[in-house]
Amino acid sequence: MSRIGKKPVELPGGVSATVSGQTVEVKGPKGTRSFTATDDVTIAVEDNAVSVTPRGKSKRARQQWGMSRTMVQNLVTGVTDGFKKELEIQGVGYRAQMQGNTLKLSLGYSHDVDFEVPAGVTVTTPKNTEVVIEGADQQLVGQVAANIREWRAPEPYKGKGIRYKDEYIFRKEGKKK
């Protein structure tokens, strides 16, 4: 039995969910999100909550049960609060700034890196060494953050590069003389 799957997803005030076939559509203050579940689970909306139940006792149905419930929970969280990732830039001369829909990164290369921000995500730079990515889609927010971090991942000797706000970089000692 899935402990996560057993719990129904509560819908807070201002959020509505509709089910058509295997597709759940959740509408809230931050937009509309949808998720299509596999045929191994049944999704129902009853008294202001979305419940997910497995069809049958197969291993795949039990696997999809908890995963589908979590996906619906993420839809509800996305349209109410949204998701947020924060990046820190460390290194001499490394900085970031927004210009329209483009994030301009100076990362020690011979040229500036221009990162086009995709639709559905907002990127802000409160300081020139901080980047904040926000949006309703958790997967898209995380992917954009990973793509920005990929331009200069933190290195273990000086710790220079782009890192997540709460990330710990294991530091190495330089070579001995």
Side-chain angles (χ1 to χ4, degrees), residues 27-101:
K27 290 182 183 149
K30 293 208 175 197
T32 304
R33 302 272 308 122
S34 66
F35 164 69
T36 304
T38 61
D39 292 331
D40 298 311
V41 294
T42 307
I43 300 174
V45 179
E46 55 235 358
D47 37 277
N48 219 20
V50 179
S51 63
V52 180
T53 52
R55 289 184 186 166
K57 302 246 185 243
S58 69
K59 183 175 182 179
R60 180 162 166 76
R62 287 181 284 126
Q63 289 171 339
Q64 295 297 318
W65 184 17
M67 196 271 307
S68 298
R69 190 258 181 214
T70 304
M71 292 296 285
V72 173
Q73 177 65 54
N74 287 342
L75 297 183
V76 173
T77 305
V79 298
T80 52
D81 305 328
F83 293 98
K84 180 179 181 179
K85 285 271 189 187
E86 296 181 32
L87 298 173
E88 248 176 21
I89 301 173
Q90 283 192 339
V92 177
Y94 290 11
R95 62 182 56 92
Q97 68 182 54
M98 282 300 294
Q99 288 183 344
N101 197 33

